[in-house]
Amino acid sequence: MNRFTLLGDAALLLASVPGAAQAQGAATGRIAGRVFNSRTGQYLENARLSIDGTSLAVFTDAGGEYEFFEVPAGPIVLRASFTSMEARTEALALSSGETVRRDFDLGSASTAAGPVPGVVRLSQFVVGASKQMDAAAIAINEQRYAANIKTVIAADEFGSVVENDIGEILKFVPGITMDYNGGDARRISMDGVSSDYVPVTIGGFNLANANQNGTNRAAALDQVSLNNVSRIEVNQTPTPESPGS
């Protein structure tokens, strides 16, 4: 067992060590900004920002915002990256107590310093599948940086679904079995676990169930339209937050 005990004599000894006060008051600053994709006109969620040569790394929120706290002052190289896009770097000189704002555009093929090395500029052309490609990149990025085992599917990859039932897509996900009722894919079973114990959330909120009686977690997905869903995330949690999950 690790213990940390503060002793009076030790405290007096530390106070007399040269440079101890300076070490505690190390000069730091803050970096904040936003990550944008000018190709789609959207801010990127879960883009990764890191500082070269250190273990400091953060991810953007739903609005593309990021922020570093207590970054050691001095010259640093800030890096922004997102799956399927060219990474961007920028050299900064951070002063003590200073807050520096740096925004990144990962959709552009050039930076303020000029064209990105290795990028070939072509004449204008139209890519008909860009929507599906962008959706797939977002899904892959969500899986790449997930804290646990997660399968992410972009709804755009499936195009038009005749039944417009989200369950008709979920049945193709490994480990997922759909329970049918009246010809509709309604309830989810994961890895053989009963659908009574598989919680379903939309945007982080538990999905209410109007078709089942009792207090179980079974949710009827025939009430959920695929048109209102951008992506589907299946989380495999080895250490659930409660025994019922």
Side-chain angles (χ1 to χ4, degrees), residues 22-111:
Q22 289 84 345
Q24 292 178 355
T28 61
R30 296 167 61 238
I31 304 174
R34 216 171 187 186
V35 181
F36 184 65
N37 181 2
S38 59
R39 188 157 53 88
T40 62
Q42 296 178 333
Y43 289 99
L44 292 174
E45 180 182 4
N46 272 352
R48 187 175 189 269
L49 284 298
S50 60
I51 298 177
D52 288 359
T54 73
S55 60
L56 298 177
V58 296
F59 294 89
T60 55
D61 60 17
E65 298 275 0
Y66 73 90
E67 189 168 8
F68 285 93
F69 298 93
E70 298 185 358
V71 179
I76 63 171
V77 176
L78 181 62
R79 181 180 301 273
S81 60
F82 192 87
T83 302
S84 83
M85 294 184 178
E86 188 81 22
R88 298 283 190 268
T89 59
E90 185 167 350
L92 303 174
L94 186 64
S95 301
S96 176
E98 181 184 17
T99 298
V100 175
R101 183 172 183 87
R102 284 295 181 271
D103 297 334
F104 287 91
D105 179 5
L106 298 186
S108 173
S110 63
T111 63

Side-chain angles (χ1 to χ4, degrees), residues 137-202:
I138 293 174
I140 293 171
N141 192 73
E142 290 289 329
Q143 292 182 144
R144 181 180 181 182
Y145 294 119
N148 56 318
I149 302 172
K150 179 189 288 188
T151 300
V152 183
I153 300 172
D156 288 339
E157 295 185 59
F158 287 85
S160 299
V161 178
V162 177
E163 297 294 333
N164 198 26
D165 185 349
I166 195 173
E168 295 298 329
I169 290 180
L170 280 171
K171 68 182 181 182
F172 293 107
V173 180
I176 297 294
T177 302
M178 297 302 303
D179 295 338
Y180 279 76
N181 188 348
D184 295 325
R186 289 190 173 181
R187 308 202 308 175
I188 302 173
S189 172
M190 291 180 61
D191 297 328
V193 176
S194 170
S195 57
D196 289 343
Y197 304 105
V198 178
V200 179
T201 62
I202 295 182

